[in-house]
Amino acid sequence: MHAFINQINNIIWSPALVFLCLAVGLYFSIRTRFMQVRHLGEMIRLMFDGKGSDAGVSSFQALAMSLSGRVGTGNIAGVAAAIAYGGPGAVFWMWMTAFLGASTAYVESTLAQIYKERNDGLFRGGPAYYIEKGLGWKRYAWVFAVATVISMGFLLPGVQANSIASGLKNSLGIAPEVSAAVIVVLLGLIIFGGVKRIARFAEIVVPFMALGYILIACVVVGLNIEKLPGVLSLIFRSAFGTDAVFGAMIGAAIQWGVKRGVFSNEAGQGSGPHPAAAAEVSHPAKQGIVQAFSIYVDTLFVCSATAFMLLITGLYNVKGADGSMLTNALPGAEVGPAFTQAAVESVLPGFGSIFVAGALFFFAFTTIVAYYYIAETNIAYINRKIGRPWLVFALKIASLAASLYGAVRAADLAWTLGDIGVGIMAWLNIIAILALQKPALDSLKDYEAQQKKGLEPSFQTTAEALPNADLWVGED
């Protein structure tokens, strides 16, 4: 059975999807004139712009909700896996995925804002909504909604729960069954509290955990600062096939760098647009710009923190394509949190392993919460047509069960199932945003034109100019 699942994963994550993720990011970077560089200052300003309402959350809350989904086990265990199977060069390709993917995140998040709607008194939106309302592809929208419910509600929570259990077992000897029980109880308290509670929870926890983790990484790197130039050189040599040890892994470096980059920052996957649509903003491009910054936070900051800690301490393993160990600094260690725990522990003995386990708990737990919110948003989309309120309750139970099972099952199976979920969503969403890019690109032009006039950008359209963007249609 496991071999069959691996085969499905290899088909979904063929070189075609790897190339597509990079190519689409480059394409949207060119079309937006590299907005991820030009609007860097605006990204930071807009994070704290605006307030929430009864129907929507603030820009910062939406960013925090988005980051809670992006910053997860992929930032710790995922980076370790990228290095283990792609060599140090995979880190460069994770960076490239983030830099180019920021423009992709802008497009999908702005589309989510344009085509959002008010559902049960709350703003809802995402790929299923903009596929139906912007493209008129109703069956395709349903396919995406169902695929997202399966991925976010069933396949992906297990990856995060598994890493939590693994980290706690490595550092404190806590049995996975105990970790599973704690995860389920805490998750139940959050998801039965509603979307507003999710937003408040993410707003408090996400910035704190990300800053704390980056601070510890700075300490680890600072205490080994003389090794940093060599580490940077190793990353670039390995990425372009010129390193004596890892040069032959250039193909694996690209594949694993992009694969783990997308898993971590979710650019193009179609998950980020869901919290983006929940924001109360005066112009759709505002939330698109803010969400572009979330890609930087996830990969350029948090993933880089993990990568530098692993490479600067030398505590990582790399497995060649033929199965031989090119680097084996941690003999017998399972690929995942153990790498990062060993790296921090080597510099901060008695504290490092426990700290990483704690960071991983918060990273992964908030991601499970975000997964639930995204799945619930797609249940809301489905219920617009079939009206089955019990589906929401069923999703809650399924998410709890998936987390429980994921915490105690084999790590490699959990990651494979998670990769399948990410890959399916990415294929479906990238096709959609390529077909429906114009409103997002026009929105950016309108935003920039108003800025040049010294105005605080606001957006209003007509039903004729932008069909089905009902919440942005003016009164006159």
Side-chain angles (χ1 to χ4, degrees), residues 8-21 24 108 127 130-131 137 140 143-144 147-148 151 262 266-271 419-435:
I8 294 174
N9 186 39
N10 291 335
I11 292 172
I12 293 172
W13 275 103
S14 67
L17 181 54
V18 172
F19 172 78
L20 183 63
C21 290
V24 168
E108 60 183 0
Y130 59 66
I131 289 169
W137 300 353
Y140 192 92
V143 170
F144 182 89
T148 301
S151 297
V262 173
E266 302 179 356
Q269 180 190 335
S271 52
D419 281 339
I420 289 173
V422 170
I424 291 173
M425 288 179 62
W427 272 114
L428 293 170
N429 183 60
I430 289 174
I431 291 171
I433 62 177
L434 283 172

Side-chain angles (χ1 to χ4, degrees), residues 185-204:
V185 171
L186 293 178
L187 181 61
L189 292 174
I190 296 294
I191 65 176
F192 279 97
V195 173
K196 289 288 186 176
R197 181 176 291 182
I198 294 172
R200 288 193 295 270
F201 178 78
E203 183 181 32
I204 295 170

Side-chain angles (χ1 to χ4, degrees), residues 30 34 55 79 94 109-110 117 123 154 175 182 189 191 269 279 315 322 325 342 385 405 407 409 425 443-444 457:
I30 294 171
F34 288 89
V79 174
M94 291 185 76
S109 297
T110 301
E117 60 183 48
F123 289 144
F154 296 86
V182 173
L189 292 174
I191 65 176
Q269 180 190 335
L315 292 174
D322 60 357
M325 299 301 295
K385 301 296 182 183
Y405 177 62
R409 70 184 175 192
M425 288 179 62
S443 180
L444 182 61

Side-chain angles (χ1 to χ4, degrees), residues 26 34 38 79 82 94 98 131 139 148 183 189 192 226 450 455 468 475:
L26 177 60
F34 288 89
R38 295 188 299 109
V79 174
M94 291 185 76
I131 289 169
R139 291 183 179 178
T148 301
I183 292 168
L189 292 174
F192 279 97
E226 73 281 357
Q450 293 189 51
L455 304 173
N468 298 319
E475 295 295 331

Side-chain angles (χ1 to χ4, degrees), residues 152-228:
M152 295 291 176
F154 296 86
L155 300 180
L156 284 161
V159 181
Q160 308 294 332
N162 186 276
S163 291
I164 291 173
S166 177
L168 291 175
K169 182 180 179 181
N170 292 338
S171 62
L172 299 172
I174 297 175
E177 292 78 9
V178 175
S179 298
V182 173
I183 292 168
V184 168
V185 171
L186 293 178
L187 181 61
L189 292 174
I190 296 294
I191 65 176
F192 279 97
V195 173
K196 289 288 186 176
R197 181 176 291 182
I198 294 172
R200 288 193 295 270
F201 178 78
E203 183 181 32
I204 295 170
V205 173
V206 173
F208 170 78
M209 69 180 186
L211 287 174
Y213 188 74
I214 293 170
L215 179 63
I216 291 297
C218 289
V219 171
V220 173
V221 173
L223 293 174
N224 295 273
I225 195 66
E226 73 281 357
K227 298 179 182 178
L228 184 58

Side-chain angles (χ1 to χ4, degrees), residues 148-335:
T148 301
V149 171
I150 294 173
S151 297
M152 295 291 176
F154 296 86
L155 300 180
L156 284 161
V159 181
Q160 308 294 332
N162 186 276
S163 291
I164 291 173
S166 177
L168 291 175
K169 182 180 179 181
N170 292 338
S171 62
L172 299 172
I174 297 175
E177 292 78 9
V178 175
S179 298
V182 173
I183 292 168
V184 168
V185 171
L186 293 178
L187 181 61
L189 292 174
I190 296 294
I191 65 176
F192 279 97
V195 173
K196 289 288 186 176
R197 181 176 291 182
I198 294 172
R200 288 193 295 270
F201 178 78
E203 183 181 32
I204 295 170
V205 173
V206 173
F208 170 78
M209 69 180 186
L211 287 174
Y213 188 74
I214 293 170
L215 179 63
I216 291 297
C218 289
V219 171
V220 173
V221 173
L223 293 174
N224 295 273
I225 195 66
E226 73 281 357
K227 298 179 182 178
L228 184 58
V231 166
L232 291 171
S233 176
L234 177 63
I235 290 173
F236 283 95
R237 291 198 316 270
S238 302
F240 295 100
T242 61
D243 185 76
V245 177
F246 305 112
M249 298 186 68
I250 183 170
I254 296 173
Q255 180 179 2
W256 279 94
V258 174
K259 188 177 184 179
R260 285 290 165 257
V262 173
F263 186 100
S264 178
N265 63 49
E266 302 179 356
Q269 180 190 335
S271 52
H274 296 88
E280 177 79 64
V281 291
S282 64
H283 197 291
K286 285 188 174 182
Q287 191 56 210
I289 293 171
V290 168
Q291 293 300 327
F293 185 68
S294 71
I295 306 299
Y296 286 170
V297 174
D298 174 90
T299 306
L300 299 187
F301 296 163
V302 185
C303 282
S304 293
T306 299
F308 283 134
M309 287 193 291
L310 296 181
L311 297 176
I312 212 163
T313 60
L315 292 174
Y316 60 94
N317 298 338
V318 178
K319 189 175 185 179
D322 60 357
S324 62
M325 299 301 295
L326 302 180
T327 299
N328 195 20
L330 297 169
E334 184 179 36
V335 176

